């Protein structure tokens, strides 16, 4: 295969704002036809192979080796991205559309990342017309926990129809659904998940324009979240602290009074725009901090999101409001505060450590731990407090703490020790997060190889698979030997079926 075809700045801007891109893997038609024929045989004789779809139909690996797909995944998730062990084939003959949803984490809960730590690929091995029920995507909804659009709204829905080889790369948390297949024809969609293994230090796409600029045309469903988008862009280019507290150069601080007045509007969409504009002014609009803090309780997620991110850019005054909101009895308010604090940088770390240590509530501890992980290496002083959460009674707090340890990554010895404890946790997703975090540490996690090797025998399929990935990413001689020993025993024959046992 040729070198990966990296995304352009324009494509990355679309992914950041709309949460998806439609692409095409230009294999010969015979390739996709062979995949579909094999799918027909497997589904008819064996049923859905679930997580085993790749070894059962190994030619699918060619799809993920294709320069377009490699380039898109590298652009969004950085080099060294990991294919998640969960993958699933969707077979659709339903004449009725499925329900709008975000994918879960295999039944587990997680504070969802706005920054692209995860992505999914939807691959269609046959021509898909609108009548055949392609996957429907609601643009711009990847940062919303709630469904802010009407249940039956379809006007702004993007349907991933196209010729065989059509792919959608989507932010993991985008709202999507199966649309109605009224064609009478079979339709397959193969879903694969991928994870980032490192905080970006530079852009991983074909990056030529340093500054963020909003696309000239956005889907009508996409609401204004300039501060969110700028944060993601800056983070992806390795400049996560850009514009944390200072005003944006092309914005006039004198506009602050106008936008503060707009925060009094009865129209929540007007207030959402005003909150975003105040966020763009940064510290120049810090007088608006109390008004913005009130919007965290509005109940309208686009507004609460913009208010939280605006407060995160306003320095000490905004951080104080967010730290107070972490202890709010409403989970959505606490979560929004965590998102705002995640972009506040080093200045928020000490206050977040106090929240983790004092634990005024489960939500406060969980969302403070999340924000520390997103801050990354600048939150290294929080590692002892996060590691101490291994004994917390709430599994969601332990899940977040373990993930954040891996995202902070330093000091390595203390982080690895905390993750080794995570591999032995009673909760399977804590163990999964610990294995993922160790993979992200690479060779710095060599001390944990015996613990990772033990996790290869875990009762949970995702822990076992991710432990194997962790050994691969650690990559030392000791890790490779442990991985090879496991694979020699675990090797699975893709052509052995009930009809073909010898």
């Amino acid at each position: 295969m040729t070198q990966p075809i990296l995304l352009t700045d324009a494509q990355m801007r679309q992914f950041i704002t709309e949460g998806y891109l439609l692409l095409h893997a230009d294999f010969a038609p015979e390739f996709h036809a062979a995949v579909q024929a094999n799918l027909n045989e497997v589904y008819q004789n064996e049923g859905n192979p679930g997580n085993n779809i790749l070894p059962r139909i190994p030619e699918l690996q060619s799809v993920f080796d294709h320069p377009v797909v490699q380039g898109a995944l590298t652009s969004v998730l950085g080099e060294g991205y990991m294919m998640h062990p969960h993958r699933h084939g969707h077979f659709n003959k339903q004449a009725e559309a499925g329900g709008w949803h975000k994918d879960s984490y295999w039944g587990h809960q997680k504070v969802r990342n706005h920054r692209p730590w995860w992505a999914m690929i939807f691959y269609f091995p046959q021509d898909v017309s609108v009548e055949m029920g392609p996957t429907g995507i609601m643009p711009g909804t990847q940062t919303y926990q709630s469904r802010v659009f009407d249940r039956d709204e379809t006007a702004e829905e993007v349907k991933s129809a196209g010729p065989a080889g059509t792919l959608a790369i989507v932010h993991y948390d985008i709202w999507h659904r199966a649309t109605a297949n009224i064609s009478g024809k079979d339709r397959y969609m193969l879903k694969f998940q991928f994870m980032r293994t490192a905080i970006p230090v530079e852009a991983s796409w074909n990056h030529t324009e340093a500054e963020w600029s909003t696309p000239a045309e956005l889907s009508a469903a996409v609401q204004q979240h300039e501060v969110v988008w700028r944060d993601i862009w800056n983070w992806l280019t390795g400049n996560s602290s850009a514009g944390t507290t200072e005003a944006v150069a092309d914005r006039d601080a004198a506009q602050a009074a106008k936008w503060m007045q707009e925060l009094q509007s009865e129209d929540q969409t007007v207030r959402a725009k005003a909150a975003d504009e105040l966020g763009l002014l940064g510290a120049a609009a810090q007088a608006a901090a109390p008004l913005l803090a009130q919007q965290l309780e509005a109940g309208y997620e686009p507004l609460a999101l913009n208010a939280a991110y605006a407060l995160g850019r306003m320095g000490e005054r905004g951080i104080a409001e967010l730290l107070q909101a972490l202890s709010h009895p409403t989970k959505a308010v606490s979560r929004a505060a965590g998102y705002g604090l995640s972009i506040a940088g080093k200045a928020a770390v000490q206050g977040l450590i106090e929240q983790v240590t004092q634990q005024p509530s489960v939500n406060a501890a969980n969302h403070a731990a999340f924000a520390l992980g997103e801050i990354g290496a600048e939150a290294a002083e929080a590692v002892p407090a996060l590691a101490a959460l291994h004994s917390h009674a709430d599994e969601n707090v332990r899940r977040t703490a373990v993930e954040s340890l891996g995202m902070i990554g330093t000091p390595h010895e203390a982080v690895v020790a905390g993750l080794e404890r995570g591999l032995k946790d009673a909760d399977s997703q804590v163990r999964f997060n610990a294995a993922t975090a160790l993979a992200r540490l690479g060779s710095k996690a060599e001390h944990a190889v015996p613990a990772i090797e033990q996790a290869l025998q875990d009762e949970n399929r995702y822990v076992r698979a991710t432990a194997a990935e962790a050994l691969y990413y650690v990559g030392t001689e000791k890790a490779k030997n442990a991985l090879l020993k496991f694979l020699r025993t675990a090797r699975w024959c893709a052509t052995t079926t009930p009809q073909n046992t010898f």
Side-chain angles (χ1 to χ4, degrees), residues 215-338:
E217 295 184 8
L218 291 171
S219 298
V222 178
Q223 301 199 40
Q224 178 179 320
H225 296 295
E226 283 282 345
V227 178
V228 178
W229 300 335
R230 286 173 187 251
D231 170 72
I232 294 172
W233 177 268
N234 289 333
W235 183 77
L236 284 169
T237 58
N239 191 20
S240 60
S241 62
T244 300
T245 59
E246 69 274 16
V248 176
D250 60 351
R251 299 281 172 161
D252 185 355
Q255 292 295 309
K258 170 191 173 184
W259 297 119
M260 289 173 66
Q261 182 64 35
E262 294 288 296
L263 280 180
Q264 312 296 323
S265 171
E266 294 184 1
D267 188 331
Q268 58 194 4
T269 60
V270 172
R271 300 205 307 275
K273 176 178 173 59
D276 199 41
E277 296 289 343
L278 287 165
L280 290 170
L281 292 172
Q286 60 184 303
L291 289 173
L292 288 166
Q294 294 174 15
Q295 307 308 314
L296 300 176
E297 303 181 36
Y300 180 56
E301 193 170 5
L303 169 56
L305 182 65
N306 281 352
Y309 271 76
L311 288 165
R313 295 192 70 253
M314 289 183 176
E316 184 176 335
R317 194 166 181 181
I319 290 170
E321 295 285 0
L322 291 168
L323 288 170
Q324 182 175 350
L326 275 179
S327 299
H328 196 281
T330 302
K331 183 177 181 179
V333 176
S334 175
R335 182 174 58 235

Side-chain angles (χ1 to χ4, degrees), residues 20-27 31-32 63-64 66 68-69 121-129 134-135 137 158-169 187-191:
Y20 80 96
L21 287 169
L22 295 182
L23 305 168
H24 186 257
D26 56 351
F27 290 104
F31 172 84
H32 302 296
V63 175
F64 302 108
H66 192 283
V68 167
V69 181
I121 292 279
F122 304 149
Y123 161 61
F124 296 89
Q126 72 284 293
D127 295 344
V128 180
S129 64
T135 302
I137 299 165
V158 172
K159 295 184 178 180
S160 47
T166 294
L167 304 114
I169 179 170
R187 188 277 279 165
Y188 291 102
M189 183 275 280
L190 310 183
K191 179 189 73 177

Side-chain angles (χ1 to χ4, degrees), residues 43-87:
Y43 271 70
Q44 290 169 12
N45 296 324
E46 305 164 33
N48 191 328
N51 291 339
N52 285 329
I53 194 167
L54 185 57
R56 187 64 190 88
I57 306 176
E59 59 266 34
L60 284 173
Q61 184 59 47
S62 297
V63 175
F64 302 108
D65 291 339
H66 192 283
V68 167
V69 181
Q70 277 195 353
L73 288 167
T74 299
S75 297
V76 169
L77 298 177
E79 294 183 358
Y81 59 83
M82 181 193 306
M83 180 186 283
H84 191 282
H86 175 67
R87 57 290 300 257

